[in-house]
Structures are given as structure tokens and as C-alpha cells.
Amino acid sequence: MTATAPTPSTARVRATALLPRLTLVLAALLAAFFAAAAPASAHAALTASDPTDGAVVATAPAQITLSFSEGVAMNGDSIRVLDPQGKRVDTGELRDLCSGSIIRYGTALRPGLPDGTYTVAWQAISADSHPISGAFTFSIGAPSETAVSLPSRTAGDGPVAVAYGIARYVAYAGFAVLVGAAAFILLCWRRGAAQRSMQKLVVRAWVALTVATLVMLLLRNPYTGSGNFADAFDLAGLKTVLETKSGASLVSRLLLLGAAALFITVLFGSYARRHASNGSNGSNGSNGSDGPGTSEVSEEDAKGESDLVFGLGIGGTVVAGGIAATWALSEHASTGIQPALAMPVDILHLLAVATWLGGLTALLVALHKVPGIERTAIRRFSTVAFTSVLVLACTGTYQAWRQVGSWSALTGTDYGRLLLIKIGLVAVVVAIAYTSRKWTSRLAEGHAPDVSRETSPVTVTPAATAVPDADASDIPDTSGTAASDPRRAAQLARQSDARRTAREKQARDADPDRAGLRRSVLAEAGVAVVLLAVTTILTSTEPGRAAELEAGRGSTATAVPDRAVKVTLPFDTGGQNGKGSVRLQLDPGRIGANTLHVWAETPDGKPLDLPELKVSFTLEAKEIGPLPVLPERAAPGHWTASGVQLPLAGDWRIDVTIRTSDIDQTTVQKNVKIG
């Protein structure tokens, strides 16, 4: 028994059945990418707190303060303090204690808190749009049992985060294909505007980007908050999102996509009709027309097309740059060092990526769907892609330096390792692209086969008719049967369609150089899909520079070394009950912002409530000071002050002025080394 080769219709059925499976595999791979990336680390990190995690304080503090490595967005509900029974004991008033480069927020506590263990839960939005959260405990008097359990879910984690991450990937992919395919048509293959396959590609990319942006806008509230999908339709939460930088960027992107829809309408409307007419006259996408007419008409048509191309180019560049800016103005480029330079560089980087990878996708579709794509278009894209890669390398190098900052961060942080993977994938794509350029050169040197006749459309009627270019001996005379049997006519129509498809494929594969180019471009596109996934994960990962800063300072206050300066000074104001001592604690006891605690005690160690207490700091060697500090009374015999700024290291003199009555007052002092 001999094996029978599959008919064209059978091969087509198999390919159609295989496509959904490949789509499912790709979706599973992407889901694995995003699941491995969660929870996403963000740019800002908690670097200190007062009280520190696990601290036991003698008396209840007046407020809770949190310090961060970068700017964050917080509201009155961002810091919650719970007593051992789980009741909220903070006032709900957010205090902005930021000063210069010091990022600090706090909330006041209710007076008269009893002893026990208290839980501080906080949540914020980093300046690069990613949510961060955490919790810690401290105790007043002595630790106790508490009914409050620390939250197991962190902000930006869970199924909502996975869905939000997938929407981010779809948005990036849609942007790349939308911009790159449009650029491919305008810069490389103008006749492509009249091709149905190109039109479908661009429109689907626009739809994907629009839908993904809407999904991100709806999921933004649960992504940064509760983590529940139901909160996506919370109007109050949506209003809050619209007031944030990320919400404004998403809304701006939707408005710009409206302008992009107008661009697509013109590109595939009057512009496509002009080139469809030119193509029918045999011009293969040239500016003029080979049909009948005077030179004046040709020059007028050429000028009209030139103006149209110029308008589409300028308008498309502005819209594409604006859409890219919605990422640059709300993510990593908008925070950290040199944001004024980083944001335009990021816009240029995104445009270069889109022009390269999106154009690659358009070329792949053209090679598979359009047998007659001109060799000149392939050569033009080779030049455009090479220029895009150069821009990508320059902007990517700057971004890597800005976000990583050191060689150790390149291998010692998640961001650095992902960046190395991305660089490796780019190298693979460039290597494959080099192979594609070789095929392009061979195409330029060879001669294209004449496929115009082979790919002419075939019309099949219900009647049994001979198929063009087919061997008549292979087709039985069944006209009478087909006329009386509609099922037979439909079967013959399917066979004719299968033969036409086979001839089109044969025409596409007639040139081995073109087939080799198609395979290499397909390999480029496959690696580019993974590259885009890694890039999406990178945008939601804490940059290496910030990660090292967090590791140096400690991810929470417990990792900060105990370098607090502690001083005890006896005093005697000379009046009745004028003797005692003051204990000072300056935490963390280094240059920059510090928290000051002062306790006044009687000779037998009991709290002494003074009518007035003042502190000042003086650095005599640099002629700085005295810098006055007016501590607030936190409890009887206890005063505290936050944000005590000491600008330089050195031997600082601490002066404490104590008044025990209307006329009894004294000042005691001591030198301590700071920094």
C-alpha cells in the first residue's frame, strides 16, 4: 500500500486546527511570565519608620512616621494603626513631613493609648505608578497578644495583578504593531495601504491597544487597592484613579487613540485608494501612474500624494509620540535621577522598538499573505530596521545606566538579571536579522518570478467548471451532475478553492530567496514576542539602583542599624523641685533627618512634667547653629520632635534649656559626634 500525500484542502484544515493550539501555548507562556513576575516590586521602598518594627516604647508616641526611598502618593487612609483588639487608633489625618530629598509621611495617634502591641499597616502608590504596601508592629510599655494578623497579600499581587500585567503586555504589543505597521506602509511599502492583510493588521492592533487601555483603567483601582475584580466598577474608586498621574495617562492614551483612528481612516481611505489605482496601472506603488493621461495630471497627482504622505507622516509621528509619552510620563522614566532627560529618551526608545518589531510583524504578514511584495520594500525596511536598532542601542544604554547604576546591581538584582536576559534576546534577534539582511541582498541580486498570472483571482461558480491552469484531464465532465446536485456543486467549489490556495502558496514559494527570508523573519518575530514579554516585566520591576539603595538602608526599619545617640544630662534650676535629669535620644543619629525624644525625670526616676523645654544643636567647627528645636509634649515627662535636620557630620553641641517654674531655669549641654 502506498502512502497518499495530503491534498491542499487537508493541509489547510490541519493548519487551521493547529493555529488555536499555538495561540493557547503562547497564552500559557505569557501567563507563566506574568505569574513569575508577581508580586511586582516597585520603585519606592520603605526605608525607615518611627517607631521601628518590633520596638517597645515607654509611652505612646504622638504620631507614626514612615520614610521612603522615592516619592509616593498617599491619602488619609494610607496609614492605619490598629490596637490589640483591631480598632483603629490613628486620627486618619495624613501629615506631609517631606523636606528636600527626605520623603516622609505620618499620621497622628489618639491620646491616652493603653499599653500593648499595635499594628501599623500602610499602602502607597510609587511615583512610577506601582503600588507598594507593608505592615509592622510596635509595643507601648510591653508586648501583648493582639487579634490583628498582618496582611498576607501585598499591593499589586493576586489575580487582578496578573490580569493587569497581561493587559499591559497587550497594550505594549498593540502599540508596537500599530506604530510599526503604519511606519512600514509609509516608509517602505506604500502599496501596502491597499492590501487587505495590512489593513486588518493595523486595525486589530488599534483595537487591542484600545481595549487593553480600557481594561487597565478599570482594573487600576482594584490593582492598587483591594485586589477584588468587583471594585473595577466602583465609581468612587474610578474617580480617585482619574485624579492620579496613572489615570490621567490612561485617559490621555484613549484620547490619542481617537486621533489614531482618524489617521487610520485616512491611511486606508483616500491614500489606499490612490495606491490601489496606481497598482492596477502597473506602477507597483510608485508615486505616479502608468495609465493614460497627460504629464500635468501625473505631476498634480504626484504633488497631491506628496502632500498627503507629508501630512500622514507628521500627524502619525505626533500621535505615536503622544501615545509613547503616556508611558514615559507615568512610569520609571518619570522618577529617579534625570527625569527631564529620561522621559524624552524613553519616548524615543519606545518609538524605535515599535518601528522595528511592529514593522517586522508587518513584513512577516506581507511575506505570508501577499505574493507580489516588491523587493525594494524589503530593502527599505532593512534600512529602517537597522536605524531603529541603532537608536534602540543608544537609548537602551542610557536607560540601563540610569536604572541599574552599578555592575553589582546588574547581577545582584532582579532588574539587572532581567535586563541581561533582554540584552541576550536582543542579540539573538539582531543575529537573526543579519541572516534576514543576507536573504534581502540575495533578493536584490536575483530576478523575481512572474507571479502575476499565477496569482490571478479564480472565480468558481456552482456549476462544474474547469479550474484555470489545471490539467483538464484531471477534471471529469460533471456539469450535468453539478447542475442537478447542489451538494456536488459545493464540493467542486471547495476543491477549486483549495487548488487556488495551493497555487498562491506555490507562487509565494517559487522564489527560494523569498522563502528563506520569510523563515528568518518568522524566527525574528518569535523571539520578539518573548522579548516584549521580558520588557513588560521590566517596567514593573524595581530598578537595580533603587533595589541596592533599599538593601543598603534596609527594606524596613528593622534593617537600619541602631546608631541612635543617647545622652543623659543632670540639671539643677536652683528652685524647689528643681533637680533631676533629662535623657535625649536622637534616632538614627546621623546627618539628615532624625527623630528626637526627650524624657525628664526626678532624682528617683519618676517622670517630671516641665513647664518648658527647648533644645538646640550647634556645629561650632563650621559655624552652623544654633539650630532650635521645639519638641512637642507627647506624655507627662516625654517630648518628641520629628524631622530634626543635621546637614553635616561632626561634633555637635546639644543645648537643653529646662524651666521648672516661672523664674527657675537652666541650660545644660554636651558635645556628641554625629555621622
Side-chain angles (χ1 to χ4, degrees):
M1 234 181 126
T2 59
T4 304
T7 63
S9 58
T10 305
R12 185 178 183 184
V13 170
R14 290 179 179 176
T16 305
L18 185 60
L19 184 59
R21 299 178 186 177
L22 293 176
T23 304
L24 289 175
V25 171
L26 179 59
L29 289 174
L30 294 180
F33 263 117
F34 291 110
S41 299
H43 202 162
L46 180 70
T47 57
S49 67
D50 183 22
T52 59
D53 185 12
V56 179
V57 297
T59 58
Q63 65 178 358
I64 301 295
T65 62
L66 305 176
S67 300
F68 297 91
S69 61
E70 297 286 349
V72 296
M74 306 185 80
N75 54 41
D77 201 44
S78 294
I79 304 176
R80 296 179 296 115
V81 184
L82 308 175
D83 67 8
Q85 289 72 42
K87 296 181 180 179
R88 189 166 175 175
V89 296
D90 62 281
T91 62
E93 176 189 357
L94 183 69
R95 294 183 176 181
D96 187 347
L97 306 175
C98 300
S99 176
S101 61
I102 304 299
I103 308 299
R104 175 180 292 142
Y105 291 89
T107 185
L109 299 182
R110 303 183 189 278
L113 296 181
D115 292 351
T117 297
Y118 291 77
T119 303
V120 180
W122 59 271
Q123 185 168 321
I125 305 297
S126 178
D128 56 6
S129 79
H130 302 300
I132 55 176
S133 63
F136 62 91
T137 61
F138 72 95
S139 301
I140 300 175
S144 68
E145 294 184 359
T146 176
V148 180
S149 59
L150 298 180
S152 59
R153 191 193 72 83
T154 59
D157 192 8
V160 169
V162 174
Y164 191 85
I166 293 175
R168 284 168 57 86
Y169 178 85
V170 174
Y172 276 119
F175 171 76
V177 175
L178 174 62
V179 173
F184 177 78
I185 292 172
L186 288 175
L187 298 176
C188 307
W189 192 37
R190 296 182 180 178
R191 191 173 66 86
Q195 297 295 324
R196 187 68 174 172
S197 57
M198 291 290 102
Q199 295 174 0
K200 288 182 178 180
L201 180 66
V202 173
V203 171
R204 288 171 180 172
W206 180 90
V207 171
L209 178 55
T210 303
V211 172
T213 303
L214 284 171
V215 170
M216 291 172 65
L217 185 62
L218 291 174
L219 291 181
R220 185 68 190 172
N221 180 42
Y223 171 63
T224 59
S226 64
N228 298 322
F229 281 103
D231 288 342
F233 303 99
D234 181 4
L235 295 181
L238 181 60
K239 180 181 178 182
T240 302
V241 168
L242 295 177
E243 295 173 351
T244 64
K245 181 170 65 173
S246 299
S249 296
L250 292 172
V251 172
S252 299
R253 190 182 304 166
L254 289 174
L255 295 176
L256 288 166
L257 284 170
L262 179 61
F263 169 87
I264 294 173
T265 301
V266 176
L267 179 65
F268 296 143
S270 58
Y271 185 79
R273 287 193 296 271
R274 179 185 298 270
H275 282 276
S277 175
N278 288 344
S280 65
N281 289 330
S283 64
N284 284 337
S286 61
N287 288 340
S289 173
D290 292 339
T294 64
S295 60
E296 292 182 355
V297 174
S298 298
E299 292 177 1
E300 182 178 350
D301 287 346
K303 184 178 183 305
E305 180 177 347
S306 177
D307 293 341
L308 184 57
V309 170
F310 179 79
L312 285 173
I314 295 297
T317 302
V318 171
V319 173
I323 296 176
T326 61
W327 276 289
L329 296 175
S330 62
E331 297 193 350
H332 283 165
S334 63
T335 186
I337 62 173
Q338 302 179 352
L341 176 61
M343 287 187 286
V345 169
D346 193 48
I347 293 173
L348 195 60
H349 186 80
L350 287 170
L351 291 177
V353 170
T355 303
W356 179 28
L357 299 185
L360 190 68
T361 304
L363 176 60
L364 179 63
V365 171
L367 288 172
H368 275 268
K369 297 293 185 180
V370 184
I373 181 174
E374 295 79 12
R375 298 165 186 261
T376 55
I378 300 174
R379 290 199 301 269
R380 290 191 196 105
F381 176 72
S382 179
T383 303
V384 170
F386 180 74
T387 305
S388 299
V389 171
L390 289 180
V391 175
L392 185 65
C394 294
T395 56
T397 300
Y398 169 75
Q399 287 183 325
W401 167 82
R402 179 177 176 271
Q403 301 290 8
V404 177
S406 66
W407 292 108
S408 59
L410 191 61
T411 57
T413 64
D414 291 340
Y415 188 93
R417 288 186 285 269
L418 280 171
L419 183 61
L420 289 176
I421 294 175
K422 178 181 177 180
I423 293 172
L425 289 172
V426 170
V428 171
V429 175
V430 170
I432 301 175
Y434 177 74
T435 304
S436 298
R437 286 177 65 87
K438 291 175 61 177
W439 286 114
T440 302
S441 300
R442 294 181 62 176
L443 275 170
E445 295 170 358
H447 298 283
D450 183 10
V451 297
S452 58
R453 182 179 60 85
E454 296 177 6
T455 58
S456 57
V458 179
T459 303
V460 181
T461 62
T465 58
V467 181
D469 298 330
D471 188 352
S473 62
D474 294 337
I475 304 175
D477 185 10
T478 57
S479 56
T481 304
S484 60
D485 188 355
R487 294 180 59 185
R488 178 58 176 164
Q491 181 182 10
L492 292 174
R494 288 193 297 271
Q495 292 176 354
S496 179
D497 183 63
R499 292 190 181 92
R500 184 183 62 183
T501 302
R503 285 196 302 274
E504 290 178 354
K505 183 179 184 301
Q506 183 181 8
R508 289 197 300 267
D509 297 340
D511 188 347
D513 294 336
R514 190 182 300 272
L517 177 62
R518 188 167 64 250
R519 287 191 295 269
S520 64
V521 171
L522 179 60
E524 280 187 77
V527 179
V529 170
V530 182
L531 174 62
L532 194 60
V534 173
T535 302
T536 305
I537 298 173
L538 263 178
T539 61
S540 60
T541 302
E542 182 179 13
R545 187 186 294 270
E548 282 204 331
L549 178 63
E550 178 184 347
R553 294 181 180 179
S555 59
T556 64
T558 56
V560 178
D562 184 11
R563 297 166 51 190
V565 174
K566 300 178 181 180
V567 177
T568 300
L569 299 173
F571 67 85
D572 185 357
T573 62
Q576 186 178 6
N577 298 325
K579 291 184 178 182
S581 63
V582 289
R583 291 187 297 111
L584 287 85
Q585 177 175 305
L586 191 67
D587 190 10
R590 58 186 178 213
I591 59 174
N594 291 267
T595 299
L596 176 66
H597 292 275
V598 183
W599 292 271
E601 298 174 345
T602 62
D604 58 358
K606 294 181 180 180
L608 177 60
D609 206 12
L610 301 173
E612 184 179 17
L613 184 141
K614 294 185 293 186
V615 182
S616 66
F617 294 83
T618 305
L619 184 60
E620 296 177 335
K622 300 294 184 179
E623 297 183 351
I624 297 176
L627 305 177
V629 178
L630 296 176
E632 297 180 356
R633 182 177 180 274
H638 180 205
W639 292 261
T640 182
S642 299
V644 178
Q645 296 284 341
L646 300 179
L648 296 175
D651 291 326
W652 288 82
R653 190 186 77 229
I654 303 178
D655 295 274
V656 184
T657 300
I658 302 130
R659 183 167 62 84
T660 56
S661 68
D662 291 341
I663 60 174
D664 298 319
Q665 177 176 304
T666 187
T667 299
V668 293
Q669 59 186 222
K670 187 171 184 177
N671 288 346
V672 297
K673 186 173 182 61
I674 304 295

